């Protein structure tokens, strides 16, 4: 079943768009089914579960962290994460930089832009992201974040069946990304636009997604424990 779902998605995913198989709440055995079908990139959103799976599963898996990350949990996530997609506060960004300087490691991250209407959803405003990139780039005297690689933006559209609303969210984040590319051409790694989940990934691909994060459409519904 996992294999069929993956094959179906890859059949429609344009080349060059990365699929993150979101395996949160699913057992390692299901990750291995996807792995045996050729999938190598997985996403998790809880630090403890992320670390446990990263340690026990094959070394050539590329792990993306996609959840809220508290600064006291960095050591569970940063040693194993190829990409932290969900950096959503200055406090977290500073803590990742500090961890990197203490451990001599550069962490690849995406900055999460607050999209959509839901008050509870996290993420930065556009102005906050612009200010961070100013401190990370040649427009400032010194790079404040030498242990962070800024790889792009992540966003979650409004959770609605109203397709026009979802499209408006994706258009906003894409336009913002393009403006940043114009303002900070020296940030060569700032390439990714991670938008799109099970319900809206096809719309996201039409609006410039370079990464889609798909869970349910691959692994089925999650059983929350
Ligand atoms: C759970 C999750 C997904 C995947 O959601 P599905 O609807 O199951 O595809 C994608 N992105 C983030 C940030 C998530 O937490």
């Amino acid at each position: 079943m996992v294999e069929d779902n993956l094959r179906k998605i890859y059949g429609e995913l344009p080349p060059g768009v990365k699929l993150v198989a979101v395996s949160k709440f699913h057992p390692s055995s299901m990750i291995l089914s996807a792995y045996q079908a050729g999938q190598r990139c997985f996403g998790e959103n809880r630090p403890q579960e992320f670390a446990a799976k990263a340690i026990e599963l094959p070394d050539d898996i590329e792990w993306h962290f996609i959840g809220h990350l508290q600064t006291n949990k960095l050591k569970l996530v940063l040693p194993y994460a190829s990409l932290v997609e969900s950096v959503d506060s200055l406090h977290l960004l500073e803590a990742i930089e500090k961890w990197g300087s203490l451990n001599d490691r550069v962490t690849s991250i995406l900055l999460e832009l607050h999209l959509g209407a839901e008050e509870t959803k996290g993420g930065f405003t556009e102005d906050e992201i612009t200010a961070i990139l100013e401190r990370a780039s040649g427009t400032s005297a010194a790079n404040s974040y030498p242990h962070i690689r800024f790889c792009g933006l992540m966003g979650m559209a409004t959770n609605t069946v109203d397709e026009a609303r979802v499209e408006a969210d994706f258009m906003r984040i894409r336009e913002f990304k393009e403006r940043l590319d114009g303002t900070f051409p020296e940030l060569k790694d700032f390439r990714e636009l991670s938008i799109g989940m099970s319900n809206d990934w096809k719309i996201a691909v039409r609006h410039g997604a370079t990464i889609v994060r798909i869970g349910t459409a691959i692994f089925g519904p999650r059983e929350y424990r």
Side-chain angles (χ1 to χ4, degrees):
M1 164 199 121
V2 165
E3 192 176 346
D4 293 338
N5 294 341
L6 279 169
R7 192 178 310 118
K8 195 156 167 267
I9 292 167
Y10 275 108
E12 293 179 68
L13 199 65
V17 179
K18 173 163 232 145
L19 171 60
V20 181
V22 177
S23 48
K24 63 189 189 192
F25 294 91
H26 292 294
S28 292
S29 58
M30 284 185 80
I31 299 179
L32 281 173
S33 307
Y35 180 87
Q36 267 136 30
Q39 180 65 23
R40 289 294 179 274
C41 182
F42 294 88
E44 291 281 337
N45 72 340
R46 297 185 298 179
Q48 211 84 43
E49 181 178 349
F50 179 87
K53 286 172 171 172
I55 289 165
E56 80 173 16
L57 288 162
D59 282 344
D60 61 343
I61 288 180
E62 181 185 325
W63 293 101
H64 288 203
F65 191 79
I66 62 168
H68 183 63
L69 182 52
Q70 287 176 312
T71 53
N72 61 350
K73 303 277 171 64
L74 293 188
K75 63 182 181 299
L76 290 171
V77 169
L78 299 188
Y80 312 107
S82 304
L83 185 63
V84 179
E85 295 205 17
S86 44
V87 174
D88 57 0
S89 75
L90 204 51
H91 179 62
L92 174 59
L93 189 72
E94 304 286 349
I96 294 173
E97 170 57 34
K98 187 163 170 218
W99 186 92
S101 108
L102 290 172
N103 293 279
D104 196 22
R105 285 274 295 260
V106 174
T107 302
S108 293
I109 66 137
L110 304 182
L111 295 169
E112 182 174 349
L113 176 67
H114 177 94
L115 274 182
E118 289 100 305
E119 297 295 334
T120 53
K121 262 192 204 160
F124 292 106
T125 64
E126 295 186 6
D127 286 348
E128 286 169 334
I129 288 178
T130 305
I132 289 166
L133 293 180
E134 271 165 11
R135 293 197 297 278
S137 76
T139 54
S140 78
N143 177 2
S144 310
Y145 305 108
H147 298 91
I148 294 183
R149 185 177 297 119
F150 292 89
C151 296
L153 297 179
M154 188 270 246
M156 276 188 274
T158 309
N159 185 9
T160 170
V161 293
D162 176 2
E163 208 168 291
R165 183 64 220 260
V166 172
E167 291 207 278
D169 287 341
F170 289 157
M171 273 164 8
R172 178 157 89 78
I173 191 170
R174 185 197 201 167
E175 279 164 17
F176 179 52
K177 169 77 172 49
E178 285 170 355
R179 257 182 287 142
L180 292 172
D181 293 344
T183 311
F184 304 104
E186 67 279 21
L187 292 177
K188 298 284 180 228
D189 298 311
F190 202 79
R191 275 189 233 114
E192 309 294 350
L193 185 58
S194 177
I195 50 175
M197 312 181 11
S198 290
N199 290 331
D200 56 18
W201 70 267
K202 292 180 193 176
I203 306 172
V205 163
R206 287 205 299 276
H207 290 285
T210 65
I211 298 176
V212 292
R213 311 175 308 269
I214 302 181
T216 310
I218 297 171
F219 297 109
R222 290 176 283 273
E223 280 178 41
Y224 289 94
R225 281 167 271 146

PDB file of all heavy atoms in Angstrom, residues 22 24 45 66-67 154 156 196-199 213-217 222, ligand 1:
ATOM      1  N   VAL A  22       6.231  12.137   5.304  1.00  0.00           N
ATOM      2  CA  VAL A  22       6.032  12.512   6.709  1.00  0.00           C
ATOM      3  C   VAL A  22       5.538  11.294   7.493  1.00  0.00           C
ATOM      4  O   VAL A  22       4.398  10.874   7.371  1.00  0.00           O
ATOM      5  CB  VAL A  22       5.055  13.703   6.826  1.00  0.00           C
ATOM      6  CG1 VAL A  22       4.795  14.024   8.305  1.00  0.00           C
ATOM      7  CG2 VAL A  22       5.627  14.932   6.116  1.00  0.00           C
ATOM      8  N   LYS A  24       5.649  10.784  10.882  1.00  0.00           N
ATOM      9  CA  LYS A  24       5.315  11.003  12.294  1.00  0.00           C
ATOM     10  C   LYS A  24       4.154  10.109  12.728  1.00  0.00           C
ATOM     11  O   LYS A  24       3.199   9.927  11.951  1.00  0.00           O
ATOM     12  CB  LYS A  24       4.967  12.472  12.516  1.00  0.00           C
ATOM     13  CG  LYS A  24       3.736  12.944  11.748  1.00  0.00           C
ATOM     14  CD  LYS A  24       3.565  14.466  11.819  1.00  0.00           C
ATOM     15  CE  LYS A  24       2.222  14.882  11.228  1.00  0.00           C
ATOM     16  NZ  LYS A  24       2.139  16.325  11.007  1.00  0.00           N
ATOM     17  N   ASN A  45       8.042  15.213  13.437  1.00  0.00           N
ATOM     18  CA  ASN A  45       7.777  16.484  14.114  1.00  0.00           C
ATOM     19  C   ASN A  45       7.908  16.439  15.636  1.00  0.00           C
ATOM     20  O   ASN A  45       7.618  17.424  16.293  1.00  0.00           O
ATOM     21  CB  ASN A  45       6.392  17.007  13.737  1.00  0.00           C
ATOM     22  CG  ASN A  45       5.278  16.205  14.373  1.00  0.00           C
ATOM     23  OD1 ASN A  45       5.474  15.065  14.791  1.00  0.00           O
ATOM     24  ND2 ASN A  45       4.101  16.794  14.460  1.00  0.00           N
ATOM     25  N   ILE A  66      10.226  18.774  11.056  1.00  0.00           N
ATOM     26  CA  ILE A  66       9.172  19.657  10.538  1.00  0.00           C
ATOM     27  C   ILE A  66       8.234  20.164  11.625  1.00  0.00           C
ATOM     28  O   ILE A  66       7.178  20.712  11.340  1.00  0.00           O
ATOM     29  CB  ILE A  66       8.332  18.939   9.447  1.00  0.00           C
ATOM     30  CG1 ILE A  66       7.620  17.713  10.020  1.00  0.00           C
ATOM     31  CG2 ILE A  66       9.196  18.540   8.256  1.00  0.00           C
ATOM     32  CD1 ILE A  66       6.555  17.136   9.090  1.00  0.00           C
ATOM     33  N   GLY A  67       8.613  19.974  12.896  1.00  0.00           N
ATOM     34  CA  GLY A  67       7.692  20.352  13.977  1.00  0.00           C
ATOM     35  C   GLY A  67       8.213  21.488  14.828  1.00  0.00           C
ATOM     36  O   GLY A  67       9.303  22.020  14.609  1.00  0.00           O
ATOM     37  N   MET A 154       9.556  27.844   4.471  1.00  0.00           N
ATOM     38  CA  MET A 154       8.518  26.824   4.640  1.00  0.00           C
ATOM     39  C   MET A 154       7.215  27.520   5.011  1.00  0.00           C
ATOM     40  O   MET A 154       7.245  28.574   5.659  1.00  0.00           O
ATOM     41  CB  MET A 154       8.932  25.856   5.760  1.00  0.00           C
ATOM     42  CG  MET A 154       8.038  24.647   5.902  1.00  0.00           C
ATOM     43  SD  MET A 154       6.680  24.900   7.032  1.00  0.00           S
ATOM     44  CE  MET A 154       7.133  23.736   8.320  1.00  0.00           C
ATOM     45  N   MET A 156       2.708  26.700   5.701  1.00  0.00           N
ATOM     46  CA  MET A 156       1.520  25.846   5.690  1.00  0.00           C
ATOM     47  C   MET A 156       0.315  26.707   5.341  1.00  0.00           C
ATOM     48  O   MET A 156       0.041  27.703   6.014  1.00  0.00           O
ATOM     49  CB  MET A 156       1.302  25.214   7.063  1.00  0.00           C
ATOM     50  CG  MET A 156       2.116  23.948   7.252  1.00  0.00           C
ATOM     51  SD  MET A 156       1.648  23.121   8.777  1.00  0.00           S
ATOM     52  CE  MET A 156       2.709  23.981   9.919  1.00  0.00           C
ATOM     53  N   GLY A 196       2.982  22.576   0.670  1.00  0.00           N
ATOM     54  CA  GLY A 196       2.189  21.470   0.138  1.00  0.00           C
ATOM     55  C   GLY A 196       2.226  20.237   1.011  1.00  0.00           C
ATOM     56  O   GLY A 196       3.300  19.751   1.361  1.00  0.00           O
ATOM     57  N   MET A 197       1.032  19.761   1.373  1.00  0.00           N
ATOM     58  CA  MET A 197       0.850  18.556   2.170  1.00  0.00           C
ATOM     59  C   MET A 197      -0.121  17.640   1.408  1.00  0.00           C
ATOM     60  O   MET A 197      -0.400  17.880   0.244  1.00  0.00           O
ATOM     61  CB  MET A 197       0.315  18.939   3.567  1.00  0.00           C
ATOM     62  CG  MET A 197       1.141  20.070   4.147  1.00  0.00           C
ATOM     63  SD  MET A 197       0.791  20.741   5.790  1.00  0.00           S
ATOM     64  CE  MET A 197      -0.345  19.671   6.581  1.00  0.00           C
ATOM     65  N   SER A 198      -0.603  16.592   2.072  1.00  0.00           N
ATOM     66  CA  SER A 198      -1.432  15.612   1.346  1.00  0.00           C
ATOM     67  C   SER A 198      -2.573  16.257   0.559  1.00  0.00           C
ATOM     68  O   SER A 198      -2.838  15.889  -0.581  1.00  0.00           O
ATOM     69  CB  SER A 198      -2.024  14.583   2.322  1.00  0.00           C
ATOM     70  OG  SER A 198      -0.998  13.749   2.796  1.00  0.00           O
ATOM     71  N   ASN A 199      -3.243  17.226   1.190  1.00  0.00           N
ATOM     72  CA  ASN A 199      -4.450  17.769   0.561  1.00  0.00           C
ATOM     73  C   ASN A 199      -4.187  18.845  -0.476  1.00  0.00           C
ATOM     74  O   ASN A 199      -5.084  19.160  -1.268  1.00  0.00           O
ATOM     75  CB  ASN A 199      -5.374  18.367   1.633  1.00  0.00           C
ATOM     76  CG  ASN A 199      -5.978  17.279   2.488  1.00  0.00           C
ATOM     77  OD1 ASN A 199      -6.176  16.160   2.021  1.00  0.00           O
ATOM     78  ND2 ASN A 199      -6.240  17.600   3.737  1.00  0.00           N
ATOM     79  N   ARG A 213       5.650  18.042   1.592  1.00  0.00           N
ATOM     80  CA  ARG A 213       5.723  17.218   2.811  1.00  0.00           C
ATOM     81  C   ARG A 213       4.429  16.425   2.917  1.00  0.00           C
ATOM     82  O   ARG A 213       3.387  16.979   3.256  1.00  0.00           O
ATOM     83  CB  ARG A 213       5.890  18.119   4.043  1.00  0.00           C
ATOM     84  CG  ARG A 213       6.995  19.173   3.923  1.00  0.00           C
ATOM     85  CD  ARG A 213       6.996  20.088   5.145  1.00  0.00           C
ATOM     86  NE  ARG A 213       5.683  20.655   5.420  1.00  0.00           N
ATOM     87  CZ  ARG A 213       5.242  21.807   4.938  1.00  0.00           C
ATOM     88  NH1 ARG A 213       6.005  22.566   4.172  1.00  0.00           N
ATOM     89  NH2 ARG A 213       4.023  22.225   5.220  1.00  0.00           N
ATOM     90  N   ILE A 214       4.496  15.150   2.597  1.00  0.00           N
ATOM     91  CA  ILE A 214       3.261  14.373   2.465  1.00  0.00           C
ATOM     92  C   ILE A 214       3.259  13.190   3.435  1.00  0.00           C
ATOM     93  O   ILE A 214       4.174  12.360   3.419  1.00  0.00           O
ATOM     94  CB  ILE A 214       3.093  13.884   1.016  1.00  0.00           C
ATOM     95  CG1 ILE A 214       3.071  15.094   0.064  1.00  0.00           C
ATOM     96  CG2 ILE A 214       1.819  13.048   0.875  1.00  0.00           C
ATOM     97  CD1 ILE A 214       2.889  14.737  -1.401  1.00  0.00           C
ATOM     98  N   GLY A 215       2.244  13.146   4.302  1.00  0.00           N
ATOM     99  CA  GLY A 215       2.124  12.050   5.261  1.00  0.00           C
ATOM    100  C   GLY A 215       0.963  11.128   4.938  1.00  0.00           C
ATOM    101  O   GLY A 215       1.140  10.004   4.470  1.00  0.00           O
ATOM    102  N   THR A 216      -0.235  11.610   5.184  1.00  0.00           N
ATOM    103  CA  THR A 216      -1.448  10.789   5.073  1.00  0.00           C
ATOM    104  C   THR A 216      -1.583  10.112   3.718  1.00  0.00           C
ATOM    105  O   THR A 216      -1.975   8.940   3.650  1.00  0.00           O
ATOM    106  CB  THR A 216      -2.684  11.682   5.344  1.00  0.00           C
ATOM    107  OG1 THR A 216      -2.450  12.410   6.556  1.00  0.00           O
ATOM    108  CG2 THR A 216      -3.944  10.848   5.492  1.00  0.00           C
ATOM    109  N   ALA A 217      -1.278  10.801   2.663  1.00  0.00           N
ATOM    110  CA  ALA A 217      -1.451  10.226   1.319  1.00  0.00           C
ATOM    111  C   ALA A 217      -0.444   9.110   1.040  1.00  0.00           C
ATOM    112  O   ALA A 217      -0.602   8.358   0.079  1.00  0.00           O
ATOM    113  CB  ALA A 217      -1.344  11.316   0.253  1.00  0.00           C
ATOM    114  N   ARG A 222      -3.079   8.912  10.715  1.00  0.00           N
ATOM    115  CA  ARG A 222      -2.241   8.709  11.893  1.00  0.00           C
ATOM    116  C   ARG A 222      -3.120   8.362  13.076  1.00  0.00           C
ATOM    117  O   ARG A 222      -4.203   8.906  13.235  1.00  0.00           O
ATOM    118  CB  ARG A 222      -1.465  10.000  12.210  1.00  0.00           C
ATOM    119  CG  ARG A 222      -0.393  10.320  11.223  1.00  0.00           C
ATOM    120  CD  ARG A 222       0.264  11.660  11.532  1.00  0.00           C
ATOM    121  NE  ARG A 222      -0.540  12.797  11.131  1.00  0.00           N
ATOM    122  CZ  ARG A 222      -0.517  13.334   9.907  1.00  0.00           C
ATOM    123  NH1 ARG A 222       0.255  12.835   8.973  1.00  0.00           N
ATOM    124  NH2 ARG A 222      -1.263  14.373   9.623  1.00  0.00           N
TER     125      ARG A 222
HETATM  126  C1  LIG B   1       2.021  16.389   9.565  1.00  0.00           C
HETATM  127  C2  LIG B   1       2.638  17.421   8.715  1.00  0.00           C
HETATM  128  C3  LIG B   1       2.630  17.292   7.316  1.00  0.00           C
HETATM  129  C4  LIG B   1       1.954  16.153   6.578  1.00  0.00           C
HETATM  130  O1  LIG B   1       0.573  16.263   6.685  1.00  0.00           O
HETATM  131  P1  LIG B   1      -0.392  15.311   5.805  1.00  0.00           P
HETATM  132  O2  LIG B   1      -1.649  16.086   5.740  1.00  0.00           O
HETATM  133  O3  LIG B   1      -0.527  14.048   6.585  1.00  0.00           O
HETATM  134  O4  LIG B   1       0.241  15.111   4.494  1.00  0.00           O
HETATM  135  C5  LIG B   1       3.281  18.268   6.586  1.00  0.00           C
HETATM  136  N1  LIG B   1       3.900  19.315   7.167  1.00  0.00           N
HETATM  137  C6  LIG B   1       3.913  19.461   8.515  1.00  0.00           C
HETATM  138  C7  LIG B   1       4.613  20.651   9.090  1.00  0.00           C
HETATM  139  C8  LIG B   1       3.280  18.534   9.323  1.00  0.00           C
HETATM  140  O5  LIG B   1       3.304  18.707  10.654  1.00  0.00           O
END
